[in-house]
C-alpha cells in the first residue's frame, strides 16, 4: 500500500476487523451498482470513499426535479442529465484514485451477463420487480453475490443474497405478488431519508463482502420502518432446494429462462396498463369545452385522497375508486338522480376507466372517462397544471 | 348436558371435547400488506389447539378482507423466521406471524 493510500484509508486500517488486508481487498475489487437513484445516492459515495477499486454504475434514466428530495447525489442544475454520468462524476470527485465506469443503458436480460462479467459484487439499487428478478438470476448464473436493498413509503428492506451458501432473492420471493404487478394509478411516495438509510446499510454490507470482513447479512432480511424508527430482522430459510434459480433442479438456466419467467409473470418494462373494456370517453379538450361552456355535470376524481390533496381540477369531487361501489348514494345525489352527466378522472386514465365501468354497471346512463387523466390534461389543456 | 354416542362396537364414548381454548396469535403487516390490511398489527383468535399457517391465511381474510389478493401466496415469517412459500406449520398460543412482502422501490 502506498503512503498516499495509507494516509487516505488510515481510519479503515485502524479498525481491527478491516486492517491492511481488508483495505487491500477493497482496492482490488470491482462492484456493479444497478440503478443510480435514491439507494445509490447513499451507496455510491461510501463505496467511492472506501476506495473500492472499480465502481460500475448502470442507469438509463435522466435526473428529474421530483428525484431531488431523495437522490441527494444530484444538484438542481443537473435536471435532464444522465444519472449514470452525473453519479460517476461525483464518484470521481470523491476519489480520483479509483476507476469508475458509467453505463448509460437499461439493464436487460440480453446485456446482463456481459455487464456482470468481471464483477465481484452486485448492489441492486433498482426500483422495479422486473429488474430485481433479472439481477438475481444473472448473479446466480455468474456466481456473483448480491446486496439487495429496496425502499418505499417509510419502509425498506436489505439482505445479502447468493453468498456463502445462503439463499438467493428467488428462494425468499419465488414469484412477484400479483397485487404488486397490477398496481395502477395509485403510485406511492417515499420519505427521502428511507432509501438513504437502506443505501447506507447496503454500502456497509457491500464493503464487508468486498473487504472480506465482518458477518454479512446472509440468511437474514432486515426491514426498517421509518414511521416508528424500528428494525425487524427475520431469519431466512437456507438456500431452497426447489428454487427456480439456485435450487437442485433449477429451471432458470439462462437469461432466456429468466426472460420467459418475467413474461409469464407480467414483469414488463413499460408501466402495466391492464386490458380494460372499452368505456365511453371524452378527451381532455372535450371535457375542457364542457367546463368552458358552463354545461352542468359532475366530475369525480377517483384518485386516493393523498394525491387529490396535492392538486385537483376545480369542482372535482374526490371519491377514491376503492370506495366507489360503497358510495352509490353519494353519486346518486351528486348527479341529481342521474340527470347530470358524470365524468371520471384520475392521474393517468386507468382507474377512471374502472370507475366508469362500475357506474355503467350500476345503471348510470351518462358516464364518461376523461381520457389520459390529469397527466394528459397538463399536457394538452393546462400546461401550468401541477403534476407530481 | 352429557350424552352418549353408541359406536358400532357398542362401547359408549363421549363426544370430543376441546382440549384447550382458542389461541391468540399476533400478526404483523409490512409494506404493501400493511396498506391492504389497513393496520400494522392485529391479534387473531384461532380455534382449537392445532391451528396451522394455512388456517391463519384463511382466517385473516375474514378479519381483514383487504388482504384477499395476497393472503394465500405471500411468504410469512413465524416468530421472526421465514417459512418456505408452501410450508405449513402448527401455531401455538403467543406466536408472532409477519406478512413481509417484497418491496421493489428504490
Amino acid at each position: 500500500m502506498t503512503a498516499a493510500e495509507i494516509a487516505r484509508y488510515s481510519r479503515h486500517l485502524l479498525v481491527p476487523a478491516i486492517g491492511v488486508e481488508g483495505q487491500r481487498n477493497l482496492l482490488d475489487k470491482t462492484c456493479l451498482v444497478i440503478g443510480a437513484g435514491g439507494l445509490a445516492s447513499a451507496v455510491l459515495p461510501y463505496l467511492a470513499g472506501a476506495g473500492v477499486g472499480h465502481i460500475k454504475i448502470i442507469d438509463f434514466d435522466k435526473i428529474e426535479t421530483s428525484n431531488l428530495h431523495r437522490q441527494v447525489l444530484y444538484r438542481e442544475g443537473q435536471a435532464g442529465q444522465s444519472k449514470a454520468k452525473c453519479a460517476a462524476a461525483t464518484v470521481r470527485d470523491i476519489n480520483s484514485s479509483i476507476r469508475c465506469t458509467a453505463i448509460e443503458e437499461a439493464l436487460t436480460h440480453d446485456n446482463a451477463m456481459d455487464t456482470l462479467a468481471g464483477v465481484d459484487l452486485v448492489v441492486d439499487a433498482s426500483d422495479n420487480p422486473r429488474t430485481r428478478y433479472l439481477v438475481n438470476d444473472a448473479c446466480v448464473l455468474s456466481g456473483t453475490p448480491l446486496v439487495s436493498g429496496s425502499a418505499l413509503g417509510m419502509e425498506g428492506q436489505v439482505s445479502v443474497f447468493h453468498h456463502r451458501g445462503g439463499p438467493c432473492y428467488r428462494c425468499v420471493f419465488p414469484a412477484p405478488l400479483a397485487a404488486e404487478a397490477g398496481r395502477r394509478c395509485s403510485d406511492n411516495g417515499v420519505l427521502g431519508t428511507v432509501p438513504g438509510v437502506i443505501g447506507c446499510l447496503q454500502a456497509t454490507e457491500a464493503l464487508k463482502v468486498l473487504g472480506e470482513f465482518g458477518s454479512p447479512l446472509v440468511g437474514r432480511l432486515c426491514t426498517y420502518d421509518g414511521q416508528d424508527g424500528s428494525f425487524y430482522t427475520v431469519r431466512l430459510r437456507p438456500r431452497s432446494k426447489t428454487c427456480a434459480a439456485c435450487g437442485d433442479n433449477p429451471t432458470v438456466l439462462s437469461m432466456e429462462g429468466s426472460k420467459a419467467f418475467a413474461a409469464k409473470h407480467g414483469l414488463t418494462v413499460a408501466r402495466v396498463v391492464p386490458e380494460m373494456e372499452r368505456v365511453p370517453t371524452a378527451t381532455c379538450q372535450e371535457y375542457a369545452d364542457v367546463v368552458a361552456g358552463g354545461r352542468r355535470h359532475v366530475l369525480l376524481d377517483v384518485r386516493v385522497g393523498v394525491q387529490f390533496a396535492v392538486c385537483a381540477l376545480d369542482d372535482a369531487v374526490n371519491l377514491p375508486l376503492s370506495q366507489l361501489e360503497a358510495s352509490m348514494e353519494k353519486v346518486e345525489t351528486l348527479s341529481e338522480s342521474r340527470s347530470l352527466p358524470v365524468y371520471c378522472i384520475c392521474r393517468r386514465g386507468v382507474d377512471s376507466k374502472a370507475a366508469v365501468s362500475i357506474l355503467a354497471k350500476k345503471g348510470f346512463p351518462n358516464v364518461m372517462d376523461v381520457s389520459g387523466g390529469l397527466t394528459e390534461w397538463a399536457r394538452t389543456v393546462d400546461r401550468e397544471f401541477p403534476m407530481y | 348436558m352429557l350424552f352418549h354416542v353408541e359406536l358400532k362396537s357398542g362401547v359408549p364414548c363421549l363426544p370430543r371435547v376441546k382440549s384447550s381454548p382458542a389461541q391468540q396469535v399476533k400478526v404483523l403487516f409490512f409494506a404493501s400488506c400493511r396498506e391492504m390490511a389497513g393496520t400494522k398489527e392485529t391479534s387473531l383468535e384461532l380455534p382449537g389447539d392445532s391451528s396451522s399457517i394455512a388456517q391463519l391465511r384463511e382466517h385473516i381474510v375474514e378479519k381483514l378482507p383487504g388482504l384477499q389478493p395476497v393472503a394465500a401466496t405471500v411468504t410469512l415469517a413465524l416468530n421472526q423466521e421465514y417459512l418456505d412459500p408452501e410450508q405449513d406449520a402448527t401455531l401455538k398460543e403467543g406466536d408472532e406471524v409477519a406478512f413481509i412482502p417484497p418491496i421493489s422501490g428504490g
Side-chain angles (χ1 to χ4, degrees):
Chain A
M1 208 172 275
T2 65
E5 284 173 338
I6 288 172
R8 174 154 203 150
Y9 304 114
S10 59
R11 296 305 183 270
H12 268 176
L13 303 179
L14 297 175
V15 177
I18 307 174
V20 175
E21 202 186 330
Q23 186 60 47
R24 272 216 184 97
N25 288 336
L26 293 176
L27 292 168
D28 285 345
K29 298 290 176 67
T30 297
C31 183
L32 170 67
V33 179
I34 317 268
L39 296 164
S41 283
V43 172
L44 288 170
Y46 281 110
L47 295 189
V52 172
H54 185 183
I55 299 171
K56 291 176 150 187
I57 307 164
I58 181 165
D59 198 317
F60 69 97
D61 217 356
K62 304 262 190 289
I63 297 161
E64 290 178 36
T65 308
S66 66
N67 298 152
L68 297 174
H69 87 293
R70 68 186 186 287
Q71 298 181 16
V72 293
L73 205 52
Y74 307 122
R75 303 290 170 258
E76 283 177 10
Q78 293 175 319
Q81 296 181 37
S82 151
K83 286 187 183 180
K85 232 180 193 167
C86 290
T90 301
V91 163
R92 291 188 197 105
D93 275 351
I94 292 170
N95 195 339
S96 60
S97 67
I98 58 170
R99 273 182 76 195
C100 184
T101 309
I103 309 168
E104 295 171 71
E105 283 172 36
L107 186 77
T108 65
H109 291 95
D110 300 327
N111 66 15
M113 293 310 281
D114 286 342
T115 310
L116 262 70
V119 164
D120 297 297
L121 172 74
V122 171
V123 175
D124 189 351
S126 69
D127 64 357
N128 63 84
R130 176 186 169 88
T131 306
R132 293 191 178 279
Y133 284 97
L134 187 171
V135 169
N136 178 72
D137 295 346
C139 282
V140 171
L141 289 168
S142 63
T144 316
L146 168 63
V147 176
S148 180
S150 58
L152 193 68
M154 293 178 77
E155 289 176 85
Q157 299 173 342
V158 60
S159 187
V160 179
F161 293 116
H162 194 57
H163 186 50
R164 296 186 185 169
C168 77
Y169 183 79
R170 235 180 232 288
C171 294
V172 185
F173 304 117
L177 281 180
E180 200 70 24
R183 278 202 180 190
R184 302 188 293 190
C185 282
S186 48
D187 291 359
N188 289 280
V190 59
L191 175 66
T193 52
V194 174
V197 170
I198 300 298
C200 284
L201 294 173
Q202 282 184 283
T204 306
E205 295 309 316
L207 294 179
K208 289 192 300 187
V209 174
L210 292 167
E212 297 171 30
F213 56 84
S215 311
L217 197 57
V218 172
R220 286 171 294 154
L221 178 80
C222 172
T223 73
Y224 170 66
D225 181 355
Q227 184 118 30
D228 58 16
S230 62
F231 285 91
Y232 189 84
T233 301
V234 293
R235 287 186 302 283
L236 301 173
R237 310 287 296 174
R239 182 183 69 88
S240 164
K241 287 177 181 158
T242 59
C243 176
C246 74
D248 291 346
N249 296 297
T251 52
V252 176
L253 298 165
S254 66
M255 289 313 288
E256 280 305 311
S258 179
K259 197 187 218 171
F261 168 89
K264 185 179 153 203
H265 288 274
L267 296 174
T268 53
V269 183
R271 179 171 294 279
V272 182
V273 178
E275 278 288 316
M276 308 218 35
E277 54 189 302
R278 294 177 71 87
V279 297
T281 290
T283 64
C284 285
Q285 192 54 56
E286 283 164 355
Y287 177 69
D289 294 343
V290 168
V291 176
R295 273 175 274 161
R296 296 189 63 220
H297 67 281
V298 179
L299 177 64
L300 290 184
D301 187 324
V302 300
R303 293 173 298 158
V304 292
V306 68
Q307 292 191 29
F308 184 78
V310 174
C311 57
L313 293 179
D314 294 341
D315 304 325
V317 177
N318 188 209
L319 189 50
L321 180 62
S322 62
Q323 294 162 29
L324 185 61
E325 296 222 45
S327 311
M328 281 307 139
E329 274 181 34
K330 191 175 175 185
V331 186
E332 198 78 43
T333 312
L334 285 167
S335 65
E336 299 181 1
S337 303
R338 311 188 175 199
S339 64
L340 295 178
V342 178
Y343 292 86
C344 296
I345 199 164
C346 67
R347 188 176 179 186
R348 296 195 180 91
V350 178
D351 281 1
S352 56
K353 277 199 177 64
V356 169
S357 168
I358 289 169
L359 291 172
K361 283 196 184 93
K362 297 280 179 185
F364 283 82
N366 196 357
V367 198
M368 263 169 291
D369 168 43
V370 181
S371 183
L374 292 167
T375 310
E376 189 66 10
W377 180 268
R379 210 176 63 80
T380 58
V381 177
D382 179 4
R383 289 189 157 269
E384 302 287 297
F385 189 79
M387 273 322 283
Y388 52 93
Chain B
M1 192 178 83
L2 200 64
F3 59 95
H4 292 270
V5 179
E6 291 288 329
L7 291 184
K8 274 180 186 165
S9 65
V11 181
C13 83
L14 289 170
R16 194 171 166 240
V17 177
K18 262 191 201 171
S19 57
S20 72
Q23 39 181 358
Q24 290 278 115
V25 174
K26 186 174 167 187
V27 190
L28 306 176
F29 303 102
F30 291 86
S32 57
C33 285
R34 185 176 289 182
E35 220 172 283
M36 292 175 196
T39 181
K40 285 170 84 155
E41 185 180 331
T42 191
S43 76
L44 196 65
E45 195 167 279
L46 293 166
D49 58 351
S50 58
S51 293
S52 64
I53 285 286
Q55 284 168 298
L56 180 136
R57 287 183 191 270
E58 284 169 26
H59 280 88
I60 199 75
V61 176
E62 285 167 29
K63 187 167 183 185
L64 300 165
L67 288 166
Q68 175 72 49
V70 298
T73 50
V74 67
T75 319
L76 304 180
L78 170 58
N79 299 325
Q80 293 193 262
E81 187 154 355
Y82 252 103
L83 298 165
D84 279 335
E86 310 271 301
Q87 189 185 351
D88 207 355
T90 304
L91 296 166
K92 56 183 191 309
E93 175 75 21
D95 274 348
E96 181 179 273
V97 176
F99 284 62
I100 311 182
I103 295 175
S104 39

